[in-house]
Amino acid sequence: MRTFGWIMMVSVGLMVCGCKPSKQAEGDSEAKVHAKNGEWPAELMLAAEPEGAKSVGEVRKSAKEGAEVVVVGRVGGRKDPFVAGRAILMLADAAVKACGERGCEDGCKTPWDFCCEPSESLSANTLTVQVVDEEGKPLKYELRGVAGIKPLSEVVIRGTVAPGSGEKSMVVNATGIFVKRS
Amino acid sequence: MRMLPWDYGVRNLARAPQRTALTLCGSALVVGLILTSGAFVRGMGHSLTAGADPRNVIVLGAGSEESLERSEIAASTADLLSATIPGIASHLNVAHASPEVLLQTVLQDARDGGREMVAVLRGVTPAAFLVHRKVRVVEGRAPRSGHDELMVGRLAAAKMGVADERLSVGQTLWFDKRLWTISGRFEAPGTVMDAEVWCPLRDLQIATRRDNLSAVVLTLGEAEFEDIDAFCKQRLDLELVALRETDYFAQLAHFYRPVRILVWVTAALVSLGGLFGWVNTLYAAFAARVREFGTVQAIGFPRRAVLVTLLQESMLATAAGALAASLVGLWWLDGVAVRFSMGAFGLRVDSTVLLWGLLAALVLAAVATLPPAWRCLRMPITDALKAA
């Protein structure tokens, strides 16, 4: 009876240990994430802030397809302003107030979605930034976390207004990214 | 350690048949309650999550991620997505892209007045059958556009609070002051669609005076979810957001988590009440057997052996009650439709629920037995032998 009890205890203990993910497995997961993100183009992340940066709202009003632009803004505009596995993020005008910046704490868990901003105003003050390959397709790794970029990070983007951009929506193909404040 | 024979405990149950029967019935009731609660929780959870297809992506209006019914997107979205994003699943050049309108509304027995029945209506095109692969027409046929026809799900009657025969093929309902005929019935087991009423998309748009959609549901082929997400974030003018179907229903399941917790809390409180009554009964039952315990110890069996036998008796009786409750649950409870805000779901008495019921019975039996057994076995042997 006693021997049986010890055997049961040891078996349960082994089962519990087996259920826990090993550090080796966790390390493998991190390596896979880095491998998926790949080598970041060294020239893309800028050491100094580009000059002549305009706000997102100004660029949306004035820039045309193919124009070189330098735009400053905050990462945000949706609950998730990044695209997992793609070099795409959304940039909102720094003047657009996030939830909780309007003089009251509303406890919003995703203040960067700017849900308190009227949709027409948000639409006119948001654009999409992407890093593309030679064929114009977004690179298949994520901008989240690169140089500390996260929602509400203030960044300066140097790039070109992508084909198909117009009054209603604008995409900028970034050739340089400077993180002002992560 | 020297143990009492197994059949000693079994024969003791037969010595007091009334008490054993009461224990059995009490256990059956408590386990029945636990089975019902478990079936409710499992059924609701299953309908909200298991029905989701991991290959499906829902494209809906930005800001409406928590409710498809509030979402509005342009009518051209389905064609735009199919044309722009390569790799969406297709069959014979038909893209698996289903434009849909979803709303909860009232259907009526008569044109003016009559019984009102709350139903979930989904306006669809034939592409819906490509995307929602669990949907099967089991009777009649799919509704034709322009003919005021509907198709009802297997649990639609439960959702609407009417008899199943009321929604048989050929029956009629009033909606938007027009008479609609039920052309067919479908089933979508384990999904919320099982309680819906489907009609042609264009007919529903006309009836509700809207020309937009609630959502487009796509099935991924070679495309990845990130391709759809990227499209939505590149075309900010369309104000779209993409969600995996599994994520959408996971957030709905999370929304209903307090309901499931409340059900378990209620079951636990009632079980606790049953447990206290049970303990009270066992105190009296064991007190009447103190002399027997003393005799058994006097002839050489240790207290632990007597305790094990008492646990054996309790667990046997409660396990028998649990078995009876399980049989009733499987025969009567399983599949019973329960109405809730999103539609209806069937109670689910599966192996997990049966295991919960049995384990609960055994644990309650052990917990109920220990205090009175300890009280009786604490007594010195000489005092026990003198007890009345």
Side-chain angles (χ1 to χ4, degrees), chain B residues 210-222:
Chain B
R210 64 187 285 181
D211 55 5
N212 53 29
L213 305 172
S214 297
V216 175
V217 184
L218 306 166
T219 302
L220 299 174
E222 290 167 358

Side-chain angles (χ1 to χ4, degrees), chain A residues 78-80 82-84 86 88 90 119 123 126-128 130 138 140 168-169 171, chain B residues 62-63 65-66 224 226-227 229-241:
Chain A
R78 286 283 188 275
K79 277 199 173 116
D80 184 3
F82 298 94
V83 177
R86 298 288 185 278
I88 298 177
M90 291 177 59
S119 62
S123 187
T126 315
L127 55 77
T128 306
Q130 59 186 22
K140 282 193 174 182
K168 293 186 180 176
S169 70
V171 178
Chain B
E65 291 92 324
E66 285 161 15
E224 296 173 329
E226 289 76 22
D227 298 321
D229 195 22
F231 173 83
C232 294
K233 284 170 182 161
Q234 286 164 337
R235 292 295 305 271
L236 298 180
D237 56 312
L238 299 175
E239 295 186 27
L240 300 173
V241 70

Side-chain angles (χ1 to χ4, degrees), chain B residues 234-316:
Chain B
Q234 286 164 337
R235 292 295 305 271
L236 298 180
D237 56 312
L238 299 175
E239 295 186 27
L240 300 173
V241 70
L243 282 178
R244 288 187 179 86
E245 194 171 74
T246 47
D247 290 343
Y248 175 74
F249 283 106
Q251 75 185 18
L252 278 181
H254 185 76
F255 176 77
Y256 283 102
R257 196 162 161 263
V259 173
R260 301 202 296 277
I261 290 173
L262 188 64
V263 166
W264 278 125
V265 167
T266 308
L269 289 174
V270 174
S271 299
L272 210 58
L275 175 70
F276 286 135
W278 202 347
V279 170
N280 204 30
T281 304
L282 286 177
Y283 266 116
F286 290 175
R289 296 170 65 185
V290 164
R291 210 167 176 189
E292 174 195 339
F293 301 151
T295 308
V296 166
Q297 288 175 74
I299 61 175
F301 290 97
R303 285 194 172 99
R304 274 177 292 172
V306 179
L307 178 64
V308 166
T309 300
L310 291 175
L311 284 170
Q312 171 205 335
E313 290 173 21
S314 284
M315 287 186 176
L316 270 176

